[in-house]
Amino acid sequence: MKPRCPPALIDSFGRHIVYLRVSVTDRCDLRCNYCIPKGFKNFEEPANWLSHDEMARLINLFAQLGVRKVRLTGGEPLTRRGVAELAGRITAIRGIQDLSLSTNGTMLARHAAALKTAGVQRLNVSLDSLDAVRFKEIAGRDCLRDVLAGLEEARRVGFSPIKLNCVVHADTPEAELTRLLGYTLANGFTLRLIETMPMGSAAQKFQPANLSFMGEKIAARFGLVPALDTGDGGPARYWSAGDMPALGVITPMSRHFCASCNRVRLTADGTLYLCLGHEQQVPLGRLMRQGANDDLLTQHILAGIAAKPEHHHFNSTPRRIVRLMSQTGG
């Protein structure tokens, strides 16, 4: 008898969906000028957030269908209580091989040890500037010192790799990026430069930079060499220092990677989004609270994956998506 093949989520374009990004809240303690508009208050009501039990139930269904990687995101996930406890539950789910977390780092020093103990394996930390004045202009708060303390604590408790995510637009000073890369090399981190995407009114005010060109330029300045493709379906292209990836670029605008997209997103209220650049969604949270059993939820997940779009249309219709990145999940 042939061994039973593991389940797989495969969309209509042959892409294997193995990665689920789960937003535990759409709220954030920062107001980055490319993400949340000043004065924005239209956040999801906490009563509509999935409970940890509900999140674990849905993640388990995705794992049964072949999802192997989960990332906890927001908003800022550490603003919600019990994230470490949720992480522990996720790592116990059969089939989940990789659990990571994205954070702005403001509360990381307080939670790093508990997250590590719970089984979070990797961290992505947003860091757009090492200049305190510029950091405050971007983030809306004077808390660069808190973020740097969080990074130090995360390294102390053993997180590796730690990736720093820097959102770049056409007006971002190149000197800012070279300073960030010097910092990451000195501390053993990995810097990832990310082109802005026109999601919501805040992001649509910024013209994206072409990081395909800028990444090569900065890498050459530091003597970095192109890294081999890891084959994990991730969106970043890397340059290395020795055997360590030091600089990556994520280029959804200048050189999109939709053909290899292996991920979907679950919002805080349980809405499944198939693509950042489209509105297709599956209301798994609402269905669950209406009494849907696991078989019915699985059918809706499979139908959603089958309808996953081939690619985004950010370049041709840049004002198409009005929802914020924080509402979808980073």
Side-chain angles (χ1 to χ4, degrees):
M1 180 182 293
K2 292 182 179 180
R4 183 172 177 266
C5 293
L9 284 175
I10 303 177
D11 71 10
S12 59
F13 301 98
R15 296 172 297 195
H16 288 241
I17 310 304
V18 298
Y19 189 4
L20 177 67
R21 302 180 73 121
V22 180
S23 173
V24 300
T25 176
D26 61 337
R27 303 193 179 205
C28 187
D29 57 336
L30 300 183
R31 290 294 181 271
C32 293
N33 56 14
Y34 54 78
C35 186
I36 301 178
K38 187 177 294 186
F40 179 83
K41 296 181 180 179
N42 193 27
F43 294 104
E44 186 63 69
E45 290 297 323
N48 295 330
W49 293 348
L50 295 181
S51 67
H52 290 175
D53 285 343
E54 291 169 328
M55 286 184 189
R57 179 184 173 190
L58 287 177
I59 293 168
N60 184 59
L61 293 180
F62 277 95
Q64 291 176 26
L65 292 169
V67 163
R68 297 294 173 253
K69 298 174 63 176
V70 173
R71 175 175 294 277
L72 297 177
T73 73
E76 170 46 50
L78 297 182
T79 61
R80 184 165 179 184
R81 294 181 180 177
V83 171
E85 184 269 338
L86 174 62
R89 296 182 63 170
I90 295 170
T91 57
I93 294 174
R94 183 177 181 181
I96 299 301
Q97 300 170 356
D98 183 279
L99 176 63
S100 55
L101 180 135
S102 291
T103 174
N104 62 28
T106 59
M107 293 182 283
L108 185 55
R110 196 183 320 162
H111 295 285
L115 293 169
K116 182 68 175 174
T117 300
V120 175
Q121 295 159 265
R122 297 179 296 111
L123 293 176
N124 284 12
V125 181
S126 296
L127 183 60
D128 294 317
S129 178
L130 286 170
D131 179 85
V133 174
R134 180 168 169 77
F135 184 97
K136 182 179 179 180
E137 289 174 353
I138 295 170
R141 273 184 59 200
D142 182 11
C143 56
L144 175 61
R145 190 174 300 176
D146 295 333
V147 177
L148 297 180
L151 285 166
E152 181 59 35
E153 177 65 7
R155 184 172 60 176
R156 187 193 70 78
V157 302
F159 276 108
S160 181
I162 297 175
K163 297 176 181 177
L164 306 184
N165 287 348
C166 174
V167 175
V168 181
H169 52 79
D171 295 327
T172 301
E174 189 173 317
E176 192 75 65
L177 306 182
T178 57
R179 184 180 178 187
L180 278 166
L181 181 53
Y183 168 78
T184 58
L185 288 169
N187 287 278
F189 303 144
T190 299
L191 176 64
R192 304 201 308 173
L193 308 178
I194 305 172
E195 293 175 351
T196 52
M197 290 178 285
M199 293 188 63
S201 59
Q204 288 166 5
K205 294 177 182 177
F206 293 94
Q207 187 71 22
N210 185 331
L211 290 181
S212 295
F213 168 76
M214 190 179 294
E216 292 179 3
K217 181 180 177 182
I218 296 173
R221 183 176 302 168
F222 282 81
L224 306 180
V225 297
L228 295 175
D229 186 354
T230 62
D232 65 356
R237 289 176 284 129
Y238 288 103
W239 290 265
S240 294
D243 59 355
M244 178 188 124
L247 174 67
V249 294
I250 299 178
T251 55
M253 303 299 291
S254 66
R255 182 177 167 183
H256 75 70
F257 34 84
C258 300
S260 60
C261 182
N262 64 355
R263 65 202 63 199
V264 290
R265 289 170 168 81
L266 192 67
T267 66
D269 69 349
T271 301
L272 179 67
Y273 279 96
L274 294 314
C275 174
L276 284 175
H278 289 264
E279 294 291 356
Q280 283 97 328
Q281 57 186 270
V282 183
L284 296 176
R286 177 165 57 81
L287 290 166
M288 185 164 50
R289 291 186 174 183
Q290 289 174 347
N293 61 24
D294 287 355
D295 287 342
L296 183 56
L297 291 171
T298 298
Q299 291 175 27
H300 280 278
I301 292 171
L302 292 171
I305 298 301
K308 181 174 169 65
E310 183 177 12
H311 55 78
H312 67 69
H313 296 285
F314 285 136
N315 290 304
S316 59
T317 53
R319 299 193 177 277
R320 178 176 183 173
I321 303 301
V322 298
R323 70 178 186 276
L324 309 181
M325 176 68 88
S326 64
Q327 293 174 303
T328 310

